[in-house]
Amino acid sequence: MKKRVDLVFRTVGERTSELALELAQRHIQPDRTFVVDHVMPFSAAVDHQLRLTHDCDSVVYVDADCLILEDMRPFLDWNERPYVDSYVLDRFRGRIHCGVHITRIDLVRAMQQVAPPKGELAYALRPESAIRNVALRKLGVNKGFKGFRILHDHFQSYTSIFEKYALRELRSRTAIQRPRLASAMERWGEELDFVVARRAIAHARANVPESASPAAVTDYIEALPAIAESQVGRMDLPSQAPLRIEDIGEIGPGPAKPRVFGLGLSRTGTRSLTTALHAVGWDTIHYPTDAGTLADLARGDGRFHLLQHYDGLTDITVSPYYAQLDALHPDAKFVLTVRDEESWLRSAANHWHDRPAFDDPRKDETHMRIRRLLRAAVYGCYGFDRERFAYVHRRHVEAVKRHFAGRPDKLLVYPLTAGAGWEPLCEFLGVPVPSEPFPHRGRKLSQRMAGAA
């Protein structure tokens, strides 16, 4: 069914603006286009876009530093998720999610009701994200992720690069983001884009100490356009010619890739695996809880409708179906995340303690029906039972290994939680190791639960 889609295009005069708008309109096919032009700082642009009036099913927010190279419309007409952040190919950081945000209209309207949390550092640095996170919590829904062939921060002007990477330094002052920026910088060459980015990072570090107040950070951000103009003007850089469509390379979808399925049981690192697969180019979904997936599970034939637009699934949604998936997708790859049994049992007990099979007010009925169906299918019980879980864990690992015996190109047995890292996964998939640290998504929860025990 064709949906009504609005495009909100945000520009502050990027070198790619004209071409980015042309490509966005071509590949989104919006019913209406709104241009947020030279509204600064970004918090003011967010306020402006949230005052727009929409009569549509979803809104796609696109920044002018994004060059969309493939048709997004089939996914937009199919998608039901409230928020999908798009993975893009970034000039400086590799494959990341930013710049193109698919937002269902009920979430847009919920965001419009959120009062901006002025005076908070998180809002000063990421105003749109701060407001969206509040609205997502109010609706009780989560983010989704999907990769498209989109170039981000390619072909930018030197002043734009300076502004972005001064701001990137400020946004990277967390335990998670700091090593990501450091890892990316290790791979930068000596091209002028990277020279300017390094200069911007050094300027932000010298002029905005980590102890700076939210007001001081906000003042620096508001002054960044003038700072960038002044600093870049001192660097004696060559002029940049107008950007042409011929300069960006081939337009169209990327090459096809094999499906990937994560067969590990819950609490074996399946969330981390999903995030890692996204980072290396495979769009997978961890434990989907939509009505279509419930229908797929009720049939039990291993034919998942999400594979129309995604590259695979992970966790116990697919754990029981490895033989059928192997037959249905002869070229697929399978990853069995494994964990020390005693450690896994402790983590599983913590995970299950506040997730009842019935009467969980935090989840809708579809989610609860999937929870019960999968628990019965995989574990043979609704609640945690140590002996039963230990038996299921051993039987599942042995059965998967036996099914794929003699086919090392099909199955990776992956001790992710023991610190296996990028290398085994990237070697198995035949892709380069990303510049960012390996994502360990469940570690904070495990540490918190261990502290409470």
Side-chain angles (χ1 to χ4, degrees), residues 15-240:
R15 185 171 177 239
T16 49
S17 291
E18 184 176 335
L19 185 54
L21 178 57
E22 176 188 335
L23 290 170
Q25 290 178 318
R26 180 194 307 183
H27 290 136
I28 293 171
Q29 302 170 37
D31 294 271
R32 291 196 300 172
T33 297
F34 301 86
V35 177
V36 180
D37 189 6
H38 282 83
V39 180
M40 295 181 286
F42 188 47
S43 57
V46 172
D47 179 69
H48 179 90
Q49 74 185 30
L50 290 178
R51 285 188 278 109
L52 298 172
T53 301
H54 299 284
D55 180 20
C56 60
D57 298 296
S58 62
V59 180
V60 184
Y61 297 94
V62 178
D63 294 333
D65 53 15
C66 291
L67 299 170
I68 301 173
L69 304 184
E70 69 168 294
D71 185 5
M72 295 178 62
R73 189 69 204 210
F75 178 83
L76 296 173
D77 288 336
W78 173 86
N79 177 61
E80 297 290 343
R81 306 189 81 175
Y83 177 69
V84 177
D85 214 351
S86 301
Y87 270 84
V88 302
L89 180 60
D90 183 86
R91 167 80 163 121
F92 299 84
R93 294 177 286 157
R95 197 171 193 256
I96 60 172
H97 53 87
C98 72
V100 177
H101 313 295
I102 302 166
T103 314
R104 204 168 64 192
I105 192 62
D106 59 330
L107 179 58
V108 174
R109 289 174 179 150
M111 291 173 67
Q112 291 172 335
Q113 301 304 311
V114 175
K118 300 292 178 67
E120 294 184 9
L121 184 58
Y123 175 73
L125 293 174
R126 293 182 173 86
E128 184 179 30
S129 179
I131 291 173
R132 185 191 305 113
N133 287 340
V134 173
L136 285 167
R137 287 194 294 270
K138 285 186 175 180
L139 294 179
V141 295
N142 298 315
K143 296 180 180 181
F145 300 93
K146 174 74 172 72
F148 298 95
R149 191 156 174 259
I150 300 172
L151 299 180
H152 180 260
D153 271 355
H154 289 244
F155 311 108
Q156 295 304 312
S157 70
Y158 298 130
T159 53
S160 288
I161 292 169
F162 191 100
E163 288 184 53
K164 286 171 181 289
Y165 274 83
L167 181 58
R168 177 60 48 204
E169 160 59 23
L170 302 180
R171 288 177 168 177
S172 298
R173 294 175 175 181
T174 69
I176 294 175
Q177 296 298 334
R178 185 178 288 108
R180 286 181 175 173
L181 178 59
S183 295
M185 291 178 69
E186 288 176 0
R187 299 198 177 194
W188 291 358
E190 296 304 319
E191 294 95 326
L192 290 178
D193 285 1
F194 301 131
V195 171
V196 173
R198 290 192 191 97
R199 177 74 67 91
I201 290 167
H203 188 276
R205 289 175 179 172
N207 289 275
V208 186
E210 295 204 24
S211 60
S213 67
V217 173
T218 299
D219 289 344
Y220 181 81
I221 292 172
E222 290 181 355
L224 262 178
I227 292 171
E229 194 73 34
S230 173
Q231 292 293 315
V232 170
R234 299 176 187 176
M235 295 180 69
D236 192 28
L237 298 170
S239 60
Q240 294 171 291

Side-chain angles (χ1 to χ4, degrees), residues 260-262 284-286 288 293 304 306-307 311-315 317-318:
V260 175
F261 299 102
T284 53
I285 295 184
H286 176 271
T293 297
F304 291 92
L306 291 170
L307 296 178
D311 303 320
L313 296 96
T314 65
D315 206 84
T317 307
V318 291

